[in-house]
Amino acid sequence: MFPINKLSPETCSKIAAGEIIERPVNVIKELVENSLDASSSRIRVEVEGGGKTLIRVEDDGLGIPGAQLPLAVQNYSTSKIREIDDIHSVKTLGFRGEALASIKAVSHLTIKSRSAQEDIGREMRWKGSDLTQDGPVAKNPGTEVLARNLFYNLPARKKFLSSDAAELRRITAILQSFALSFPEVGFTLTGNAKEILSYPASSLEERVEVVFGSGVFTNLRFFERLLGAVKIYGYTSLPGLTRGNRSLQFIFVNRRPVKDKLLGHALRQAYQSLIPGDRFPLGTVFLEVPPGALDVNVHPTKAEVRFESEREIHRLVSSTIREVLKGQGNTISFKNKVESVYRAIFPSGAGLKDTDRKEGFYPGDSAPQNGIPGSSTLSESRPGWLFQELPQSLFEFQGGEESAFTPVRLYWQLHQSYIFIQIRGGMVVIDQHAAHERILYDQAGKNLKGGKAIIQPLLFPATLELSVEEYEEYERISAHLPSLGFEVEPFGMRSVIVRGIPAGVKRWDDGLLLQNILAEKGIGHGGMEDLLKTYACHAAIKAGDKLSLEEMESLTDQLFATEFPFTCPHGRPTMLRVELADIERRFMRTVTPESK
Amino acid sequence: MKVLVSLGELNKKFNAISSVVPGKTTMPILSMVLVKADKDGIKFTATDLDISVTSKVNGTTEKEGAIAAPARKVAEIVKSLTGDEVSLEVDGEKLTLKCGKSKFVVNGRNPDDFPRLPQQESKTEFSINSGILGKLIHKTVYAVSNDLTRPALCGVLWEVDRHGLVMVSTDGHRLAKVELKKDMGEVQKMNVIIPPKALSTFKAYAEKDELIRVSLGDNSVSFEMQDVSIYSRLLEGPFPNYQKVIPAGNDKELVISKESLAAATKRVSILSDALTHQVIFSIEADKITLHVTTQDLGEAREEMEASYSAAAMDIGYNASYIQDILKTIDGDDIEMRLDKPDNAGIIMPVEQSGDVKHLCIVMPLRIS
């Protein structure tokens, strides 16, 4: 042990810097935030060696007057706030006054800057704490910051950096995030002299399209809502378009990117029962709240925020997005084309792990599955068959055709599991179990929320003998059973007598239905949502059940009458759409000049 | 084997027998029809292992023999032929059909491969008019259950004794019962459960009124007609105690025209819920109003005259159950015997025809 020493200012600054600067992407975040706070309209970022060798951020913003330049690199010096109370009304991205000082502490820093009022700029260059150059420089208005040899003096930290490519991906991601939040600013990113991103200043809609790629963009929906002083808007993906992680979820609070648990949860809630539990929607959420209602000074990187009225914000976010998913409040029109990007939607199961996709996938890049070995079957290589949006004219055969009054609707059941329906321009394949689950889930959900369940009493009441666990489950949920349509009474010694079942249920199976529901562990704990899902799953027709033409027709009609026809309550798709054009392409019938 | 059969006879008999051949089977031999000529005449046999049908064919036997012939192809050939008479000749496992200037040689299989259902030991037998039996079947077979977890409900219960025959079917929501009072002769009292396929096959063949012979064994039933014999396995019981659920205290009587009730039910149910088919019957003095209100669909309503004098009430029924029942009841008017709206109701003809007593029970739908 050493005796207690006051640390040298240099050591202090390294420790402090370590909190903010962990890897190259943090340098870029700080510098770009400064550029944005300086009202820049164009920001160029250049990196070499994944940012380890060189980082350059250049803007055309306000610039720093030459006389103030030395101050800018000192700890806790900033132009953004003056006293602590200003933090609560801060409108700029940065305010802590640590960025440049921290970068200076861990790299060879150069700053060139010229303010609009001056005719000439000033350049300062450091090696560690040593000022190696200071003098005038010819420069356009704006600031250019260079950080070379990051962590040259912290070899241990340097060792923990990832490969150049991985660091570059992080940098790309953060620039995309800034680009979404500041569409009016142009961004370019070059890595090892190659252009990676180039976003001209544009509207939010155009920026979202270019960042996500047009294939994804057609499946995003705009939403917007104002509640008092709080405004929420953004784009969110249709339930069919999901990813195995949150990397394509961009959430901003007052234009500041955040990874906030509260908002992430609200987003999940909005997709409840629409997407599988291990999938995440894509999109971007912008929340604007009065600065006073927010605490951003929770964490040095400001990735977390605290809201004054968390519950209201949560409700606002999840209900707004839920609404738009229902097809209401849709403000942009959709091209009904199925894009190759859908390939990323469903894991093929053939060696495609989430990590695989996380690695070579950039938004807008449509190639995640192309190189997967063994993806040769129809379903794997063409997940573009996912049914996304029901075109208006799908089941309507109007418009002067002879068949106007005799709709050509052909139903056919494959392996007693899937319903094939001919539609205009292709076909729809419906998973009969998933479809029926959705119907029952919706209906039972309505009944539970105060609607009336219709009970079909039994001529011969069924007595079920339950196991200890089943009986406990029964006692837990017995209050909810009548609203599902079950009429059940205890019958002594862990037995129950069933006098009525939900009308229309096909798979009563002499009590097996209820017994299966009760055998599912923990439904009583998981609340109504779990009970609904369990009921829908067990009561639904199964794969292997033969359906008559009328039954197929009725099932389809009922499915489209539900609120969310495209997924089952567990979030799996209920239907796929196969385009005639796809089939033609597979048969190489696509007309090319040579084949004519 | 060589036989001569008129084209008309061949067409009719082969077509009929082909309907027994299962559409999909893992045993190729089941897609064949056994064609056999012996001293008793010419016979076609088809089976799906649950039921087996043998049909006598009128024709001339020149040489006895047998073959298993592919049902679909032979039926197709026979249907396409023109001429008066067809000769069927067997050489090994090939069947040659000749008619006029057409000749077909069809590959068949060894007749010994054709499955034979175990010969039943009949425990009791009775004779009955096929038309009457067909009617009784019509009044019951629709109500069987298709819930395979309760196989007994998937068939029609027959109770036979010296004084008559009772048939009962139920799927747990509705029940149909017919009772034929008739001297059955020396019959041993028996209860059997007959699968609906055997009954509908019988109905398909019983086109003319004739006296047929029904034999009941422990595990099988057979219907012997003049030209056709049908043999079927039975379903295992026990059948539930149906007498317990036939309500005795239903004292509110309503009489209404069968046709108008059936037509109104059909109309009003167009807007009923696709899952439950619920239609509300609002009954008051000398009037019945059928109505539905379905969210997202709309509402429908129809009023009818009826003879009724008890307390007014609303009862919900599954419209398709009511329609099924009305299709099977004889006569112009039906009688409904009701109790409380939650309890089982009885529907029956106002005038029971002759020695047949017909009665249906239907459970109403209830709102939680």
Side-chain angles (χ1 to χ4, degrees), chain A residues 428-492:
Chain A
V428 173
V429 186
I430 293 182
D431 177 335
Q432 63 187 38
H433 173 67
H436 200 206
E437 260 185 294
R438 168 54 72 187
I439 295 166
L440 293 174
Y441 174 86
D442 262 41
Q443 193 202 28
K446 271 184 209 151
N447 292 343
L448 284 174
K449 287 192 192 99
K452 301 280 184 206
I454 298 180
I455 299 173
Q456 169 69 70
L458 298 172
L459 264 175
F460 307 96
T463 313
L464 304 182
E465 282 171 25
L466 304 176
S467 70
V468 178
E469 291 83 11
E470 287 166 354
Y471 196 79
E472 277 175 10
E473 214 56 63
Y474 161 72
E475 288 185 316
R476 234 174 254 136
I477 64 170
S478 60
H480 299 301
L481 286 173
S483 29
L484 281 178
F486 286 104
E487 212 174 80
V488 190
E489 292 161 26
F491 204 55

Coordinates of all heavy atoms in Angstrom, one line a residue, chain A residues 428-492:
Chain A
V428 N -52.4 -16.3 -51.0 CA -52.2 -16.1 -49.6 C -52.2 -17.5 -49.0 O -53.0 -18.3 -49.3 CB -53.3 -15.2 -49.0 CG1 -53.1 -15.2 -47.5 CG2 -53.3 -13.8 -49.5
V429 N -51.2 -17.7 -48.1 CA -51.2 -19.0 -47.4 C -51.5 -18.7 -45.9 O -50.8 -17.9 -45.3 CB -49.8 -19.7 -47.5 CG1 -49.9 -21.0 -46.8 CG2 -49.4 -19.8 -48.9
I430 N -52.5 -19.3 -45.4 CA -52.9 -19.0 -44.0 C -52.6 -20.2 -43.1 O -52.9 -21.4 -43.5 CB -54.4 -18.7 -43.9 CG1 -54.6 -17.3 -44.6 CG2 -54.8 -18.6 -42.5 CD1 -56.1 -16.9 -44.5
D431 N -51.9 -20.0 -42.0 CA -51.7 -21.1 -41.1 C -53.0 -21.2 -40.2 O -53.3 -20.3 -39.5 CB -50.5 -20.7 -40.2 CG -50.3 -21.7 -39.1 OD1 -51.2 -22.4 -38.7 OD2 -49.1 -21.8 -38.6
Q432 N -53.7 -22.3 -40.4 CA -55.1 -22.4 -39.8 C -55.1 -22.3 -38.3 O -56.0 -21.7 -37.7 CB -55.8 -23.6 -40.3 CG -55.2 -24.9 -39.9 CD -55.9 -26.1 -40.5 OE1 -56.3 -26.1 -41.7 NE2 -56.1 -27.2 -39.8
H433 N -54.1 -22.9 -37.7 CA -54.0 -22.8 -36.2 C -53.7 -21.4 -35.8 O -54.5 -20.9 -34.9 CB -52.9 -23.8 -35.7 CG -52.7 -23.7 -34.2 ND1 -53.7 -24.0 -33.3 CD2 -51.7 -23.2 -33.5 CE1 -53.2 -23.8 -32.1 NE2 -52.0 -23.3 -32.2
A434 N -52.7 -20.8 -36.3 CA -52.4 -19.4 -35.9 C -53.6 -18.5 -36.2 O -53.9 -17.6 -35.4 CB -51.1 -18.9 -36.7
A435 N -54.2 -18.7 -37.3 CA -55.3 -17.8 -37.6 C -56.5 -17.9 -36.6 O -57.0 -16.9 -36.1 CB -55.9 -18.1 -39.0
H436 N -56.8 -19.2 -36.3 CA -57.9 -19.4 -35.4 C -57.5 -18.9 -34.0 O -58.4 -18.4 -33.3 CB -58.2 -20.9 -35.3 CG -59.6 -21.2 -34.8 ND1 -60.0 -22.3 -34.2 CD2 -60.7 -20.4 -34.7 CE1 -61.2 -22.2 -33.8 NE2 -61.7 -21.1 -34.1
E437 N -56.2 -19.0 -33.6 CA -55.8 -18.5 -32.3 C -56.0 -17.0 -32.3 O -56.5 -16.5 -31.2 CB -54.2 -18.7 -32.2 CG -53.8 -19.9 -31.4 CD -52.3 -19.9 -31.3 OE1 -51.6 -20.1 -32.3 OE2 -51.8 -19.7 -30.2
R438 N -55.7 -16.3 -33.3 CA -55.9 -14.9 -33.3 C -57.4 -14.5 -33.1 O -57.8 -13.7 -32.4 CB -55.4 -14.3 -34.6 CG -55.8 -12.8 -34.9 CD -55.5 -11.9 -33.8 NE -54.1 -11.6 -33.6 CZ -53.6 -10.9 -32.6 NH1 -54.4 -10.4 -31.7 NH2 -52.3 -10.7 -32.5
I439 N -58.3 -15.3 -33.8 CA -59.7 -15.0 -33.8 C -60.2 -15.3 -32.3 O -60.9 -14.4 -31.8 CB -60.5 -16.0 -34.7 CG1 -60.1 -15.6 -36.2 CG2 -61.9 -15.9 -34.5 CD1 -60.5 -16.7 -37.2
L440 N -59.8 -16.4 -31.8 CA -60.3 -16.7 -30.4 C -59.8 -15.7 -29.4 O -60.4 -15.3 -28.5 CB -59.9 -18.1 -30.0 CG -60.6 -19.2 -30.8 CD1 -60.0 -20.6 -30.5 CD2 -62.1 -19.2 -30.6
Y441 N -58.5 -15.4 -29.6 CA -57.8 -14.4 -28.6 C -58.6 -13.1 -28.7 O -58.9 -12.5 -27.6 CB -56.4 -14.3 -29.1 CG -55.6 -13.2 -28.3 CD1 -54.9 -13.6 -27.2 CD2 -55.5 -11.9 -28.8 CE1 -54.2 -12.6 -26.5 CE2 -54.7 -11.0 -28.2 CZ -54.1 -11.3 -27.0 OH -53.4 -10.4 -26.3
D442 N -58.9 -12.6 -29.8 CA -59.5 -11.3 -30.0 C -60.9 -11.4 -29.3 O -61.3 -10.5 -28.6 CB -59.7 -11.0 -31.4 CG -58.6 -10.0 -31.9 OD1 -57.5 -10.2 -31.5 OD2 -59.0 -9.1 -32.6
Q443 N -61.6 -12.5 -29.7 CA -63.0 -12.6 -29.2 C -63.0 -12.7 -27.6 O -63.8 -12.0 -27.0 CB -63.6 -13.8 -29.8 CG -65.1 -13.9 -29.6 CD -65.6 -15.3 -29.8 OE1 -64.9 -16.3 -29.5 NE2 -66.8 -15.4 -30.2
A444 N -62.2 -13.6 -27.1 CA -62.1 -13.8 -25.7 C -61.7 -12.5 -25.0 O -62.2 -12.2 -23.9 CB -61.2 -15.0 -25.3
G445 N -60.7 -11.8 -25.6 CA -60.3 -10.6 -25.1 C -61.4 -9.6 -24.9 O -61.5 -8.9 -23.9
K446 N -62.2 -9.5 -26.0 CA -63.4 -8.6 -25.9 C -64.3 -9.0 -24.8 O -64.8 -8.2 -24.0 CB -64.1 -8.6 -27.2 CG -63.6 -7.6 -28.2 CD -64.5 -7.6 -29.5 CE -63.7 -7.2 -30.7 NZ -64.1 -7.9 -31.9
N447 N -64.6 -10.3 -24.7 CA -65.5 -10.8 -23.7 C -65.0 -10.4 -22.3 O -65.7 -10.0 -21.4 CB -65.6 -12.3 -23.8 CG -66.4 -12.7 -25.0 OD1 -67.0 -11.9 -25.6 ND2 -66.3 -13.9 -25.4
L448 N -63.6 -10.6 -22.1 CA -63.1 -10.3 -20.8 C -63.2 -8.8 -20.4 O -63.3 -8.4 -19.3 CB -61.6 -10.7 -20.7 CG -61.4 -12.2 -20.6 CD1 -60.0 -12.6 -20.7 CD2 -61.9 -12.7 -19.2
K449 N -63.1 -8.0 -21.5 CA -63.1 -6.5 -21.2 C -64.6 -6.1 -21.1 O -64.9 -4.9 -21.5 CB -62.4 -5.8 -22.3 CG -60.9 -6.0 -22.2 CD -60.2 -5.0 -23.2 CE -58.7 -5.4 -23.3 NZ -58.4 -6.1 -24.5
G450 N -65.5 -6.9 -20.7 CA -66.8 -6.4 -20.5 C -67.8 -6.9 -21.5 O -69.0 -6.7 -21.3
G451 N -67.4 -7.5 -22.6 CA -68.3 -8.1 -23.5 C -69.0 -9.3 -22.9 O -68.7 -9.7 -21.7
K452 N -69.9 -9.9 -23.6 CA -70.6 -11.0 -23.0 C -70.2 -12.3 -23.7 O -70.2 -12.3 -25.0 CB -72.1 -10.9 -23.2 CG -72.7 -9.6 -22.5 CD -72.9 -9.9 -21.0 CE -73.5 -8.7 -20.4 NZ -73.2 -8.5 -19.0
A453 N -69.7 -13.3 -23.0 CA -69.4 -14.5 -23.6 C -70.6 -15.3 -23.8 O -71.5 -15.3 -22.9 CB -68.4 -15.3 -22.7
I454 N -70.7 -16.0 -24.9 CA -71.9 -16.9 -25.1 C -71.5 -18.3 -24.7 O -70.5 -18.9 -25.1 CB -72.3 -16.8 -26.5 CG1 -72.8 -15.4 -26.8 CG2 -73.5 -17.8 -26.8 CD1 -73.2 -15.2 -28.2
I455 N -72.3 -18.9 -23.8 CA -72.0 -20.2 -23.3 C -72.9 -21.2 -24.0 O -74.1 -21.0 -24.2 CB -72.3 -20.2 -21.8 CG1 -71.4 -19.2 -21.1 CG2 -72.1 -21.6 -21.2 CD1 -71.8 -19.1 -19.6
Q456 N -72.2 -22.3 -24.4 CA -73.0 -23.5 -24.9 C -73.1 -24.5 -23.7 O -72.1 -25.2 -23.4 CB -72.3 -24.1 -26.1 CG -72.9 -25.4 -26.5 CD -74.2 -25.4 -27.1 OE1 -74.4 -24.8 -28.2 NE2 -75.2 -25.8 -26.3
P457 N -74.3 -24.6 -23.1 CA -74.4 -25.5 -22.0 C -74.3 -27.0 -22.5 O -74.6 -27.2 -23.7 CB -75.8 -25.3 -21.4 CG -76.2 -24.0 -21.9 CD -75.5 -23.8 -23.2
L458 N -73.8 -27.9 -21.7 CA -73.7 -29.2 -22.1 C -74.9 -30.1 -21.7 O -75.3 -29.9 -20.5 CB -72.4 -29.8 -21.5 CG -71.1 -29.1 -21.9 CD1 -69.9 -29.7 -21.0 CD2 -70.8 -29.4 -23.3
L459 N -75.3 -30.9 -22.5 CA -76.4 -31.9 -22.2 C -75.9 -32.8 -21.1 O -76.6 -33.2 -20.2 CB -76.8 -32.7 -23.4 CG -78.0 -32.2 -24.2 CD1 -78.1 -33.1 -25.4 CD2 -79.2 -32.3 -23.4
F460 N -74.6 -33.2 -21.3 CA -74.0 -34.2 -20.3 C -72.9 -33.4 -19.6 O -71.8 -33.4 -20.2 CB -73.5 -35.4 -21.0 CG -74.5 -36.1 -21.8 CD1 -74.6 -35.9 -23.2 CD2 -75.5 -37.0 -21.3 CE1 -75.5 -36.5 -24.0 CE2 -76.4 -37.6 -22.1 CZ -76.5 -37.3 -23.4
P461 N -73.1 -32.8 -18.5 CA -72.0 -32.1 -17.8 C -70.8 -33.0 -17.6 O -70.9 -34.2 -17.4 CB -72.6 -31.7 -16.5 CG -74.0 -31.6 -16.7 CD -74.3 -32.7 -17.7
A462 N -69.6 -32.5 -17.8 CA -68.4 -33.3 -17.7 C -67.7 -33.1 -16.3 O -67.6 -31.9 -15.9 CB -67.4 -32.9 -18.8
T463 N -67.3 -34.2 -15.7 CA -66.6 -34.1 -14.5 C -65.1 -34.3 -14.7 O -64.8 -35.3 -15.4 CB -67.1 -35.2 -13.5 OG1 -68.5 -35.2 -13.5 CG2 -66.6 -34.9 -12.1
L464 N -64.3 -33.4 -14.3 CA -62.9 -33.5 -14.5 C -62.2 -33.7 -13.2 O -62.4 -33.0 -12.2 CB -62.3 -32.2 -15.2 CG -62.9 -31.7 -16.5 CD1 -62.2 -30.5 -17.0 CD2 -62.9 -32.8 -17.5
E465 N -61.3 -34.7 -13.1 CA -60.5 -34.9 -11.9 C -59.2 -34.2 -12.2 O -58.5 -34.6 -13.1 CB -60.4 -36.4 -11.6 CG -61.6 -36.9 -11.0 CD -61.6 -38.4 -10.9 OE1 -60.5 -39.0 -10.8 OE2 -62.7 -39.0 -10.8
L466 N -58.8 -33.3 -11.3 CA -57.6 -32.5 -11.6 C -56.5 -32.9 -10.7 O -56.7 -33.4 -9.6 CB -57.9 -31.0 -11.4 CG -59.1 -30.4 -12.3 CD1 -59.3 -29.0 -11.9 CD2 -58.8 -30.6 -13.7
S467 N -55.3 -32.7 -11.1 CA -54.1 -32.9 -10.2 C -54.1 -31.7 -9.3 O -54.8 -30.7 -9.4 CB -52.8 -32.9 -11.1 OG -52.6 -31.6 -11.6
V468 N -53.2 -31.8 -8.3 CA -53.1 -30.8 -7.3 C -52.8 -29.5 -7.9 O -53.4 -28.4 -7.7 CB -52.0 -31.1 -6.2 CG1 -51.9 -30.0 -5.2 CG2 -52.3 -32.4 -5.5
E469 N -51.8 -29.5 -8.9 CA -51.4 -28.3 -9.5 C -52.5 -27.7 -10.4 O -52.8 -26.5 -10.4 CB -50.2 -28.5 -10.4 CG -48.9 -28.8 -9.7 CD -48.8 -30.3 -9.4 OE1 -49.6 -31.1 -9.8 OE2 -47.9 -30.6 -8.6
E470 N -53.2 -28.6 -11.1 CA -54.3 -28.1 -11.9 C -55.4 -27.5 -11.1 O -56.0 -26.5 -11.5 CB -54.8 -29.3 -12.8 CG -53.9 -29.7 -13.9 CD -54.3 -31.1 -14.5 OE1 -55.2 -31.7 -13.9 OE2 -53.7 -31.5 -15.5
Y471 N -55.6 -28.1 -10.0 CA -56.7 -27.6 -9.1 C -56.3 -26.2 -8.6 O -57.2 -25.3 -8.5 CB -57.1 -28.5 -8.0 CG -58.4 -28.2 -7.4 CD1 -59.6 -28.6 -8.0 CD2 -58.5 -27.5 -6.2 CE1 -60.8 -28.2 -7.5 CE2 -59.7 -27.1 -5.7 CZ -60.9 -27.5 -6.3 OH -62.1 -27.2 -5.8
E472 N -55.0 -26.0 -8.2 CA -54.6 -24.7 -7.7 C -54.8 -23.7 -8.8 O -55.2 -22.6 -8.6 CB -53.1 -24.8 -7.3 CG -52.9 -25.3 -5.9 CD -51.4 -25.5 -5.6 OE1 -50.6 -25.1 -6.4 OE2 -51.2 -26.1 -4.6
E473 N -54.4 -24.1 -10.0 CA -54.5 -23.2 -11.2 C -56.0 -22.8 -11.4 O -56.4 -21.7 -11.6 CB -54.0 -23.9 -12.4 CG -53.3 -23.0 -13.4 CD -52.2 -22.2 -12.8 OE1 -51.2 -22.7 -12.4 OE2 -52.3 -20.9 -12.8
Y474 N -56.9 -23.8 -11.2 CA -58.3 -23.6 -11.4 C -58.8 -22.6 -10.3 O -59.5 -21.6 -10.7 CB -59.1 -24.9 -11.2 CG -60.5 -24.7 -10.9 CD1 -61.4 -24.2 -11.9 CD2 -61.1 -24.9 -9.6 CE1 -62.7 -24.0 -11.6 CE2 -62.4 -24.6 -9.3 CZ -63.2 -24.2 -10.4 OH -64.5 -23.9 -10.1
E475 N -58.3 -22.7 -9.1 CA -58.8 -21.8 -8.1 C -58.3 -20.4 -8.4 O -59.0 -19.4 -8.1 CB -58.3 -22.2 -6.7 CG -59.1 -23.5 -6.2 CD -58.7 -23.9 -4.8 OE1 -57.5 -23.9 -4.5 OE2 -59.6 -24.2 -4.0
R476 N -57.1 -20.3 -8.9 CA -56.6 -19.0 -9.2 C -57.3 -18.3 -10.3 O -57.5 -17.1 -10.3 CB -55.1 -19.2 -9.7 CG -54.1 -18.3 -8.9 CD -52.7 -18.7 -9.3 NE -52.1 -19.5 -8.3 CZ -51.3 -20.5 -8.5 NH1 -51.1 -20.9 -9.7 NH2 -50.7 -21.1 -7.5
I477 N -57.8 -19.0 -11.3 CA -58.4 -18.4 -12.5 C -59.9 -18.5 -12.5 O -60.5 -18.1 -13.5 CB -57.8 -18.9 -13.8 CG1 -58.1 -20.4 -14.0 CG2 -56.3 -18.6 -13.9 CD1 -57.7 -20.8 -15.4
S478 N -60.5 -19.2 -11.5 CA -61.9 -19.6 -11.7 C -62.8 -18.3 -11.8 O -63.8 -18.4 -12.5 CB -62.4 -20.4 -10.5 OG -62.2 -19.6 -9.3
A479 N -62.3 -17.2 -11.3 CA -63.2 -16.0 -11.4 C -63.3 -15.5 -12.9 O -64.2 -14.9 -13.3 CB -62.6 -14.9 -10.5
H480 N -62.2 -15.8 -13.7 CA -62.2 -15.4 -15.0 C -62.9 -16.3 -16.0 O -63.2 -16.0 -17.1 CB -60.8 -15.1 -15.5 CG -60.1 -14.1 -14.7 ND1 -60.5 -12.8 -14.6 CD2 -59.0 -14.2 -13.9 CE1 -59.7 -12.1 -13.8 NE2 -58.7 -12.9 -13.4
L481 N -63.1 -17.6 -15.6 CA -63.6 -18.6 -16.5 C -64.9 -18.2 -17.1 O -65.2 -18.4 -18.3 CB -63.6 -20.0 -15.8 CG -62.2 -20.6 -15.7 CD1 -62.2 -21.8 -14.9 CD2 -61.5 -20.8 -17.0
P482 N -65.9 -17.7 -16.3 CA -67.2 -17.4 -16.9 C -67.1 -16.4 -18.1 O -67.8 -16.5 -19.0 CB -68.0 -16.8 -15.7 CG -67.3 -17.4 -14.5 CD -65.9 -17.5 -14.8
S483 N -66.2 -15.4 -17.9 CA -66.1 -14.4 -19.0 C -65.5 -15.0 -20.3 O -65.6 -14.5 -21.4 CB -65.4 -13.2 -18.6 OG -64.4 -13.4 -17.6
L484 N -64.8 -16.2 -20.1 CA -64.3 -16.9 -21.3 C -65.4 -17.7 -21.9 O -65.4 -18.1 -23.1 CB -63.1 -17.8 -21.0 CG -61.7 -17.2 -20.9 CD1 -60.7 -18.2 -20.5 CD2 -61.3 -16.5 -22.2
G485 N -66.4 -18.0 -21.1 CA -67.5 -18.9 -21.6 C -67.6 -20.2 -20.9 O -68.4 -21.1 -21.3
F486 N -66.8 -20.4 -19.9 CA -66.8 -21.7 -19.2 C -67.7 -21.6 -18.0 O -67.7 -20.6 -17.3 CB -65.4 -22.1 -18.7 CG -64.5 -22.6 -19.8 CD1 -63.5 -21.8 -20.2 CD2 -64.7 -23.8 -20.3 CE1 -62.6 -22.2 -21.2 CE2 -63.8 -24.3 -21.3 CZ -62.8 -23.5 -21.8
E487 N -68.5 -22.6 -17.8 CA -69.3 -22.7 -16.6 C -68.8 -23.9 -15.8 O -69.1 -25.0 -16.1 CB -70.8 -22.8 -17.0 CG -71.7 -22.2 -16.0 CD -73.1 -22.3 -16.6 OE1 -73.8 -23.3 -16.4 OE2 -73.6 -21.3 -17.2
V488 N -68.0 -23.6 -14.7 CA -67.4 -24.6 -14.0 C -67.6 -24.5 -12.5 O -67.6 -23.3 -12.0 CB -65.8 -24.6 -14.2 CG1 -65.2 -25.8 -13.7 CG2 -65.5 -24.4 -15.7
E489 N -67.9 -25.6 -11.9 CA -68.1 -25.5 -10.4 C -67.2 -26.6 -9.8 O -67.0 -27.6 -10.3 CB -69.5 -25.8 -10.0 CG -70.5 -24.8 -10.5 CD -71.9 -25.4 -10.5 OE1 -72.2 -26.3 -9.7 OE2 -72.8 -24.9 -11.3
P490 N -66.7 -26.3 -8.5 CA -66.0 -27.3 -7.8 C -66.9 -28.5 -7.5 O -68.1 -28.3 -7.4 CB -65.6 -26.6 -6.5 CG -65.9 -25.2 -6.7 CD -66.9 -25.1 -7.7
F491 N -66.4 -29.7 -7.5 CA -67.2 -30.9 -7.4 C -66.6 -31.8 -6.3 O -66.7 -33.0 -6.4 CB -67.3 -31.6 -8.7 CG -68.5 -32.5 -8.9 CD1 -69.8 -31.9 -8.7 CD2 -68.4 -33.8 -9.3 CE1 -70.9 -32.8 -8.9 CE2 -69.5 -34.6 -9.4 CZ -70.7 -34.1 -9.2
G492 N -65.9 -31.2 -5.4 CA -65.3 -31.9 -4.2 C -64.1 -32.7 -4.6 O -64.0 -33.2 -5.7

